[in-house]
Amino acid sequence: MEEEEIEEIRRLREQLPVSFKRWIAREIESGKISIKEAIERFGVNGRTIYEWLSHYSLGKEVSLSIMTPQEKQEKILLEKRIKELEKALEYAKLKNIAVETMIDVAEEQFRISIRKKAGPKQ
C-alpha cells in the first residue's frame, strides 16, 4: 500500500463522522449502492469501504439472548418489589402531608410555634 493511500485512510477516519460511515455501510448492505459506486461517489478507496463495512454494518449489532426461566422469575420478583416500594413511597408522601397539615392546624389553633426555627441556638 502506498504512503498516499495510508494517509488518505487516516484523513478520512479523522474527518468523516461515524454516522456517515455507518450510513455508507448500511446503504451498501441494503443494496442501494454497490461498493464500486461508493468508491466512485465518495472518493474513498476500497479498503476503507471494507473497513467501514466490518465496523459499522448491521451484522455487528449486539443481540440479546433469551432470558432463562430463572432470569424471568427474578425479573418478576424485581418488578413486584418496585411496585411495593412505589406504594410505600406514596404512603410516606401522604403521611408527610398529614403531619404537616396537623402541625399547621395545631400552630393556628394554639397560637404556638411547633416547628423548630432554622439558625444557631441563642
Side-chain angles (χ1 to χ4, degrees):
M1 183 181 274
E2 292 182 11
E3 193 115 358
E4 291 177 16
E5 291 178 26
I6 294 171
E7 192 58 38
E8 178 190 2
I9 292 170
R10 287 186 188 143
R11 182 181 55 80
L12 286 172
R13 281 187 185 153
E14 291 172 4
Q15 291 180 351
L16 295 174
V18 172
S19 59
F20 176 77
K21 296 172 187 178
R22 187 175 288 121
W23 176 76
I24 294 293
R26 291 186 179 169
E27 290 290 301
I28 292 170
E29 278 187 331
S30 67
K32 292 180 182 174
I33 62 172
S34 68
I35 293 175
K36 185 178 178 180
E37 289 172 327
I39 292 169
E40 292 170 0
R41 187 169 164 191
F42 301 108
V44 203
N45 68 31
R47 184 179 176 115
T48 302
I49 296 289
Y50 283 108
E51 284 180 16
W52 291 353
L53 283 169
S54 69
H55 283 80
Y56 306 113
S57 67
L58 287 173
K60 291 290 182 177
E61 290 183 2
V62 177
S63 62
L64 299 176
S65 61
I66 298 173
M67 283 195 281
T68 64
Q70 182 181 358
E71 290 172 331
K72 287 180 183 179
Q73 184 65 30
E74 186 178 338
K75 180 181 178 254
I76 291 169
L77 292 173
L78 289 173
E79 288 173 348
K80 183 179 176 185
R81 179 72 176 142
I82 288 170
K83 287 182 182 180
E84 290 172 358
L85 291 172
E86 287 174 343
K87 189 175 180 181
L89 177 63
E90 188 63 33
Y91 176 77
K93 286 179 180 179
L94 290 173
K95 185 176 179 182
N96 188 38
I97 291 170
V99 168
E100 292 292 324
T101 303
M102 183 180 69
I103 291 172
D104 289 342
V105 170
E107 285 180 336
E108 190 177 303
Q109 284 185 355
F110 298 114
R111 298 189 198 306
I112 58 172
S113 178
I114 298 174
R115 290 185 180 92
K116 290 185 177 182
K117 301 279 191 254
K121 292 183 179 181
Q122 293 183 355

